[in-house]
């Protein structure tokens, strides 16, 4: 039985929308897609729908035609965002991504403000190029990453009552912070090309790193120390999230455990590369991905 049928999704138009979201995930979210395969088939389409929504918005900000001005990107993002939010509030959509998203939100009663917060962070990327403190950065990360974990919780399922749900939400936020920060550590060079510095300026300054020095693209002992500080933060955030991951339903837990290992592992790959962020783009090897996938699959079957 295919995933869509397992999820009870039979309407042809809706099946096309979910299939479109899955294809976006398969093409662009290699690690995310692999982790999604650890979920029960009837849950996967809904996670694909969340990814499709997030990916489409992100593409407007970062991967739209390079000839588009920032103003044109802003106008396109505002128009697309307004329509998707209107769809969610009206309960109707004609968009090939919006249909699957709407069905997912309705089925699992996901709060619309999570999507509003995500779109706010996407808009921030069009006007804000750096963050002074980690507290400032957290406001961006909450919308760009943490709310995605919060959106997924109703799909994944949480064992227990209100206390357990609160712990799971806290874990989702911490894990979102860890995932996003690992990306920022890896993508220092790529972000500079886009005119952005995500690592908090005040924290870089403690190691003698100014934006001007960072733009020289030299891995100095000072920069290594600054990046090491951020890598340790990823480790700490991942550790703090473990208690919440254990509260997820048994069938969903292997997926998030694998995602945690693989995404946070990006930061560890930076360490293995001796912090050469301007020469090598850190990535978890295919062998490590497959090993993690198999281990999580076996663990899930035995639990």
């Amino acid at each position: 039985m295919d995933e869509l049928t397992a999820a009870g999704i039979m309407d042809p138009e809706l099946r096309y929308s979910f299939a479109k979201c899955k294809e976006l995930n398969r093409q662009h979210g290699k690690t995310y897609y692999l982790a999604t395969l650890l979920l029960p088939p009837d849950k996967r389409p809904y996670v694909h729908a969340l990814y499709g929504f997030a990916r489409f918005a992100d593409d407007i900000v970062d991967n739209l035609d390079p000839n588009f001005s920032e103003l044109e990107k802003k106008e396109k993002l505002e128009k697309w965002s307004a329509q998707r939010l209107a769809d969610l509030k009206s309960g109707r959509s004609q968009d090939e991504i919006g249909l699957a998203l709407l069905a997912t939100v309705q089925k699992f009663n996901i709060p619309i403000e999570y999507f509003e917060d995500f779109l706010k962070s996407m808009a921030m990327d069009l006007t804000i190029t750096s963050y002074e403190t980690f507290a400032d950065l957290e406001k961006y990360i909450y919308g760009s990453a943490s709310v995605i974990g919060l959106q997924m919780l109703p799909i994944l399922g949480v064992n227990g009552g209100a206390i357990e749900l609160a712990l799971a939400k806290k874990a989702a936020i911490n894990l979102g912070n860890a995932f996003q920060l690992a990306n920022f550590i890896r993508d220092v060079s790529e972000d500079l090309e886009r005119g952005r510095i995500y690592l908090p300026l005040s924290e870089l300054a403690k190691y003698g790193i100014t934006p001007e020095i960072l733009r020289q693209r030299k891995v100095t002992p000072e920069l290594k120390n600054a990046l090491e500080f951020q890598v340790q933060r990823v480790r700490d955030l991942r550790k703090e999230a473990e208690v919440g991951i254990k509260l997820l339903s048994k069938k969903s837990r292997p997926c998030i455990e694998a995602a945690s290992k693989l995404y946070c592992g990006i930061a560890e790959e930076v360490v293995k590369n001796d912090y050469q962020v301007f020469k090598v783009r850190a990535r978890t090897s295919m062998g490590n991905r497959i090993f993690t996938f198999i281990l999580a699959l076996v663990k899930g079957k035995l639990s």
Side-chain angles (χ1 to χ4, degrees):
M1 183 184 297
D2 66 84
E3 296 173 2
L4 296 176
T5 302
I9 301 167
M10 306 306 294
D11 177 77
E13 193 174 15
L14 200 53
R15 287 174 71 92
Y16 174 82
S17 180
F18 275 102
K20 186 74 174 179
C21 292
K22 179 179 179 178
E23 183 60 20
L24 284 171
N25 194 356
R26 189 188 67 79
Q27 286 185 352
H28 302 287
K30 301 284 193 298
T31 300
Y32 189 90
Y33 181 78
L34 185 62
T36 303
L37 294 177
L38 293 167
L39 288 173
D42 62 331
K43 290 181 181 290
R44 294 174 199 164
Y46 302 108
V47 175
H48 293 320
L50 295 180
Y51 182 91
F53 164 78
R55 182 70 201 190
F56 202 93
D58 187 62
D59 278 352
I60 294 175
V61 174
D62 284 333
N63 297 309
L64 204 60
D65 187 325
N67 295 318
F68 277 43
S69 68
E70 292 302 305
L71 178 59
E72 288 173 316
K73 288 183 180 180
K74 180 175 182 293
E75 291 175 345
K76 184 173 179 61
L77 179 64
E78 287 178 348
K79 181 179 179 180
W80 189 83
S81 299
Q83 187 58 62
R84 295 295 71 73
L85 293 176
D87 290 349
L88 294 178
K89 292 172 182 177
S90 69
R92 298 184 303 275
S93 180
Q94 295 181 329
D95 183 76
E96 62 181 15
I97 299 297
L99 273 171
L101 178 68
L102 177 60
T104 301
V105 170
Q106 290 178 332
K107 180 176 178 64
F108 294 97
N109 196 29
I110 303 173
I112 294 176
E113 54 261 34
Y114 290 160
F115 301 95
E116 293 173 332
D117 289 335
F118 175 81
L119 293 169
K120 285 177 184 176
S121 283
M122 291 301 96
M124 289 169 70
D125 270 336
L126 295 174
T127 57
I128 299 175
T129 57
S130 63
Y131 297 86
E132 184 63 28
T133 68
F134 186 67
D136 295 330
L137 182 63
E138 276 188 302
K139 295 175 184 176
Y140 168 80
I141 293 177
Y142 175 78
S144 66
S146 297
V147 294
I148 295 177
L150 294 173
Q151 291 166 15
M152 286 182 62
L153 277 183
I155 302 172
L156 299 174
V158 178
N159 295 319
I163 294 176
E164 288 76 15
L165 180 58
L167 289 172
K169 287 182 177 180
K170 177 63 176 176
I173 292 172
N174 284 332
L175 207 55
N177 283 350
F179 288 2
Q180 189 71 291
L181 188 56
N183 282 342
F184 292 157
I185 294 168
R186 176 193 64 191
D187 295 339
V188 170
S189 181
E190 183 178 322
D191 290 331
L192 281 175
E193 291 175 3
R194 291 171 172 159
R196 301 180 197 144
I197 298 175
Y198 285 107
L199 301 182
L201 299 182
S202 61
E203 293 181 352
L204 289 173
K206 290 179 181 179
Y207 297 92
I209 305 296
T210 65
E212 292 73 26
I213 291 175
L214 193 63
R215 292 187 187 103
Q216 292 175 11
R217 298 172 183 269
K218 295 180 181 179
V219 178
T220 62
E222 293 78 12
L223 180 58
K224 287 184 181 181
N225 290 335
L227 293 175
E228 182 182 14
F229 174 81
Q230 301 299 339
V231 170
Q232 186 57 51
R233 177 176 271 155
V234 171
R235 293 169 180 154
D236 292 342
L237 287 166
R238 184 188 178 200
K239 183 70 175 177
E240 291 173 15
E242 288 179 356
V243 63
I245 294 176
K246 292 176 181 177
L247 295 173
L248 297 176
S249 68
K250 286 185 178 181
K251 290 185 178 180
S252 296
R253 205 176 303 151
C255 167
I256 304 306
E257 288 176 339
S260 175
K261 179 178 174 58
L262 292 173
Y263 272 102
C264 294
I266 291 171
E268 301 302 336
E269 292 299 322
V270 171
V271 177
K272 289 180 184 178
N273 292 336
D274 195 29
Y275 300 98
Q276 298 300 317
V277 292
F278 300 117
K279 294 181 180 180
V280 183
R281 192 173 193 270
R283 65 183 70 224
T284 51
S285 68
M286 181 55 69
N288 189 25
R289 292 183 200 177
I290 293 174
F291 176 77
T292 300
F293 176 83
I294 294 174
L295 189 65
L297 186 62
V298 171
K299 183 177 179 181
K301 289 183 178 297
L302 294 177
S303 61

